[in-house]
């Protein structure tokens, strides 16, 4: 059985979309994490040190403006969407995040790569 929230998706706070647009255009920070609170996706954190920004026991969504060099020494960047669901998070929490992910991701225009991770080692380039 699919719950109403799974079928429709969570509401997305306007601040999430605004901060994502800033990350894409102004590049004032390199990552944003989002969490679900009271049936809505809201802003959690933003900054420059992405690797230490995800909680060990709770699910989150994140976007990361990832800078890298090609084999030809050309500087590039890609915006990566991360669905973070650590093994130690509660099953219900994982289900809520999984069922709302696609709806939330559609609100963020410009995602180039999607990654699902349960452990920090799964996010190494």
């Amino acid at each position: 059985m699919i719950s109403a929230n799974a079928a429709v998706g969570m509401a997305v706070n306007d601040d999430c979309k605004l901060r994502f647009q800033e990350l894409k255009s102004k590049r004032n920070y390199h990552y944003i994490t989002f969490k679900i609170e009271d049936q809505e996706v809201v802003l959690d954190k933003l900054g420059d040190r992405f690797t230490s920004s995800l909680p060990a026991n709770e699910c989150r969504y994140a976007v990361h403006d990832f800078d890298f060099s090609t084999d030809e020494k050309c500087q590039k960047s890609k915006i990566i969407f991360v669905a973070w669901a650590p093994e130690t998070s509660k099953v219900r929490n994982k289900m809520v995040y999984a069922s709302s992910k696609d709806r939330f991701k559609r609100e963020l225009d410009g995602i180039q790569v999607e990654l699902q991770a349960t452990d920090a080692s799964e996010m190494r380039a």
Side-chain angles (χ1 to χ4, degrees):
M1 182 172 159
I2 297 175
S3 72
N5 285 337
V8 178
M10 296 281 167
V12 177
N13 185 288
D14 287 339
D15 199 35
C16 295
K17 293 179 260 188
L18 176 67
R19 297 296 181 187
F20 178 72
Q21 290 302 323
E22 288 177 0
L23 177 132
K24 279 187 357 181
S25 60
K26 296 179 184 171
R27 302 190 76 184
N28 293 344
Y29 33 85
H30 287 97
Y31 79 87
I32 308 170
T33 60
F34 307 92
K35 62 183 175 181
I36 296 175
E37 265 183 7
D38 301 323
Q39 307 296 312
E40 182 179 37
V41 179
V42 297
L43 191 65
D44 182 35
K45 297 180 196 171
L46 48 89
D48 291 321
R49 299 191 138 256
F50 178 63
T51 52
S52 60
S53 66
L54 297 169
N57 299 318
E58 295 177 28
C59 297
R60 290 291 187 272
Y61 301 124
V63 289
H64 182 218
D65 187 2
F66 180 68
D67 294 320
F68 62 98
S69 294
T70 65
D71 290 340
E72 295 81 31
K73 306 288 185 240
C74 183
Q75 285 298 114
K76 299 225 175 201
S77 73
K78 289 196 182 240
I79 296 178
I80 300 171
F81 179 88
V82 178
W84 174 251
E87 296 290 337
T88 54
S89 60
K90 294 178 181 168
V91 172
R92 174 152 171 61
N93 196 257
K94 290 184 211 179
M95 290 173 56
V96 168
Y97 275 79
S99 65
S100 301
K101 178 186 65 135
D102 288 336
R103 160 80 169 76
F104 176 59
K105 204 172 84 170
R106 279 194 300 272
E107 297 286 333
L108 307 178
D109 184 37
I111 301 289
Q112 296 164 299
V113 177
E114 180 182 334
L115 179 65
Q116 295 194 17
T118 60
D119 179 287
S121 68
E122 296 173 337
M123 293 189 286
R124 293 202 173 101

